[in-house]
C-alpha cells in the first residue's frame, strides 16, 4: 500500500545524505498485491528514539467505557488482532454492522479522516462504516458546518465525552521534542491513549522532553485549543487513533477535498519539525496500538509497518 505523506520544507546537505541512505536501506521482500513492502526496523521498549531493540511485549489493556462489541472485553498492546468479522448483535450499538477481523498489518490509514478501514479504498468520513477493530472512530470537537460536517459525526458516535465509547471518552496526550520543540498529540479513547503513553515514552524517550510530555491522558473537550483535524498527520486503526502536529495545516481536510490517491505531500511540515521523533511515534503507534484479541496466537505479532522514507527527488515523504 502506498500512502503519501508530508514533505520537509528544507533539507540541509547532511540531512539530504542521511535521508538518501535511509531510502536506499529499505529492504524489500516479495509479497502479493503491491510487489512487496519494506522490512521494518525493530522497535521495542529501548528508549532509542527511532529504532528499538526488539518488539515490545504484549500486555492486556483494561477498557473503560462499555467495552467492545460482540463480547470482546479486552485489547492487547503489540497484539496481532485478526479473527473473524461478525455482525454486531441486536441490542448493541451499531447492531447489524460488521465488527472485528482487523489485523496488525492493517492499522495504518493516511492523513484522511475515514482512512485505516481495511477494504475502504476512497476514505471520506466514518458515517455508516463497520468496526473492523471494534473501537469507534474519533469524533472531532466542533460544529458541523458545510463541507467540514463529515469531521463531526457525533450523531452516530456521540460527543467526545461519550462514556459509552469503547475504551472510554476521547482523550489526548502530548509528546514534545527535546531537540526542536515540535509538539505532537495522540487522540483516541482514554484506554488507548493511556497505553500508548507508556509505549511511546518507552520507545522514543531519547527524543522526548519528558517534562513536557504527558504522563496520563487529558480529556478531549475544547476543540479550539486541542488538536484540530487540519493538524492530522496520520490516522490509525480505522480512524480511531490520530497523530497530529502543532503548526501543521492541511486546509483541505476542512472541506473534504483531500485526494486519496495523491502522490505529493498534502502540506509542508512546519520548519524545524523533529522528523526523528515523528518517525518513532508513527512506527511505535503502528506496532503497539491495542487491538482486540482474536484468540490463540503463535509466535510474534505479524507486522508490515509503513516505514518513513524521504523521497527527495519529488521533495516528498512517502509512507510505503
Amino acid at each position: 500500500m502506498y500512502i503519501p505523506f508530508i514533505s520537509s520544507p528544507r533539507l540541509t546537505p547532511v540531512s539530504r545524505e542521511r535521508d538518501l541512505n535511509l531510502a536506499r536501506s529499505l529492504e524489500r521482500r516479495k509479497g502479493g498485491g503491491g510487489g512487496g513492502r519494506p522490512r521494518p526496523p525493530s522497535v521495542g521498549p529501548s528508549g532509542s528514539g527511532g529504532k528499538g531493540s526488539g518488539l515490545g511485549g504484549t500486555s492486556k489493556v483494561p477498557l473503560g467505557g462499555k467495552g467492545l462489541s460482540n463480547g470482546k472485553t479486552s485489547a492487547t498492546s503489540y497484539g496481532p488482532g485478526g479473527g473473524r468479522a461478525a455482525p454486531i448483535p441486536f441490542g448493541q450499538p451499531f447492531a447489524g454492522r460488521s465488527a472485528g477481523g482487523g489485523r496488525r498489518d492493517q492499522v495504518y490509514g493516511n492523513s484522511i479522516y475515514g482512512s485505516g478501514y481495511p477494504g475502504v479504498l476512497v476514505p471520506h468520513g466514518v458515517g455508516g462504516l463497520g468496526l473492523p477493530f471494534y473501537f469507534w472512530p474519533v469524533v472531532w470537537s466542533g460544529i458541523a458546518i458545510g463541507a467540514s460536517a463529515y469531521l463531526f459525526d457525533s450523531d452516530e458516535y456521540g460527543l467526545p465525552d461519550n462514556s459509552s465509547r469503547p475504551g472510554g471518552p476521547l482523550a489526548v496526550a502530548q509528546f514534545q521534542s527535546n531537540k526542536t520543540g515540535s509538539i505532537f498529540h495522540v487522540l483516541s479513547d482514554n484506554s488507548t491513549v493511556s497505553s500508548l503513553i507508556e509505549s511511546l515514552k518507552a520507545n522514543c524517550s531519547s527524543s522526548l522532553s519528558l517534562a513536557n510530555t504527558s504522563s496520563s491522558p487529558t480529556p478531549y473537550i475544547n476543540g479550539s485549543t486541542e488538536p484540530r483535524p487540519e493538524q492530522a498527520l496520520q490516522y490509525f486503526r480505522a480512524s480511531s487513533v490520530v497523530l497530529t502536529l502543532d503548526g501543521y495545516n492541511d486546509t483541505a481536510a476542512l472541506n473534504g477535498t483531500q485526494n486519496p490517491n495523491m502522490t505529493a505531500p498534502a502540506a509542508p511540515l512546519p520548519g524545524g519539525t523533529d522528523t526523528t521523533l515523528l518517525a518513532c511515534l508513527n512506527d511505535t503507534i503502528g506496532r503497539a496500538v491495542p487491538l482486540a484479541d482474536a484468540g490463540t496466537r503463535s509466535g510474534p505479532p505479524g507486522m508490515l509497518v509503513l516505514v518513513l522514507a524521504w523521497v527527495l527527488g519529488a521533495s516528498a515523504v512517502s509512507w510505503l
Side-chain angles (χ1 to χ4, degrees), residues 54-112:
L55 287 172
T58 59
S59 62
K60 294 286 186 182
V61 176
L63 295 177
K66 293 192 175 180
L68 306 176
S69 58
N70 288 352
K72 296 289 184 180
T73 59
S74 65
T76 303
S77 62
Y78 293 98
R84 287 188 176 182
I88 299 174
F90 177 78
Q92 295 186 15
F94 312 111
R97 297 189 192 182
S98 176
R103 305 186 310 270
R104 175 66 58 183
D105 64 330
Q106 297 173 317
V107 298
Y108 282 94
N110 54 28
S111 61
I112 300 177

Side-chain angles (χ1 to χ4, degrees), residues 8 43 144 153 165 215 282:
S8 177
V43 169
D153 201 356
R165 172 180 289 271
S215 57
N282 176 75

Side-chain angles (χ1 to χ4, degrees), residues 31-280:
R37 303 173 190 257
R39 190 181 300 277
S42 180
V43 169
S46 63
S48 65
K51 294 183 180 179
S53 59
L55 287 172
T58 59
S59 62
K60 294 286 186 182
V61 176
L63 295 177
K66 293 192 175 180
L68 306 176
S69 58
N70 288 352
K72 296 289 184 180
T73 59
S74 65
T76 303
S77 62
Y78 293 98
R84 287 188 176 182
I88 299 174
F90 177 78
Q92 295 186 15
F94 312 111
R97 297 189 192 182
S98 176
R103 305 186 310 270
R104 175 66 58 183
D105 64 330
Q106 297 173 317
V107 298
Y108 282 94
N110 54 28
S111 61
I112 300 177
Y113 184 55
S115 65
Y117 284 81
V120 176
L121 301 180
V122 184
H124 181 77
V126 295
L129 297 178
L131 304 172
F133 296 97
Y134 295 98
F135 291 89
W136 299 0
V138 300
V139 175
W140 292 103
S141 176
I143 301 174
I145 299 177
S148 67
Y150 80 105
L151 296 166
F152 310 102
D153 201 356
S154 58
D155 288 344
E156 282 191 52
Y157 302 102
L159 295 173
D161 63 354
N162 181 8
S163 60
S164 296
R165 172 180 289 271
L170 290 178
V172 65
Q174 174 177 298
F175 301 88
Q176 184 168 340
S177 166
N178 61 9
K179 298 178 178 64
T180 68
S182 301
I183 296 176
F184 300 88
H185 288 92
V186 172
L187 173 65
S188 188
D189 64 89
N190 188 81
S191 296
T192 293
V193 172
S194 181
S195 176
L196 286 175
I197 288 174
E198 180 179 348
S199 299
L200 292 169
K201 290 175 76 171
N203 281 306
C204 307
S205 62
S206 68
S207 293
L208 287 171
S209 171
L210 295 179
N212 297 301
T213 292
S214 298
S215 57
S216 60
T218 299
Y220 174 62
I221 299 173
N222 187 350
S224 65
T225 58
E226 299 284 359
R228 303 291 300 142
E230 64 269 27
Q231 298 174 337
L233 297 176
Q234 183 77 36
Y235 288 94
F236 307 81
R237 204 183 63 182
S239 289
S240 64
V241 183
V242 60
L243 174 66
T244 70
L245 170 62
D246 285 13
Y248 180 64
N249 189 28
D250 179 12
T251 56
L254 299 178
N255 53 30
T257 60
Q258 293 164 300
N259 178 6
N261 299 312
M262 58 186 170
T263 57
L269 289 175
T273 297
D274 187 341
T275 55
T276 298
L277 176 57
L278 169 57
C280 185

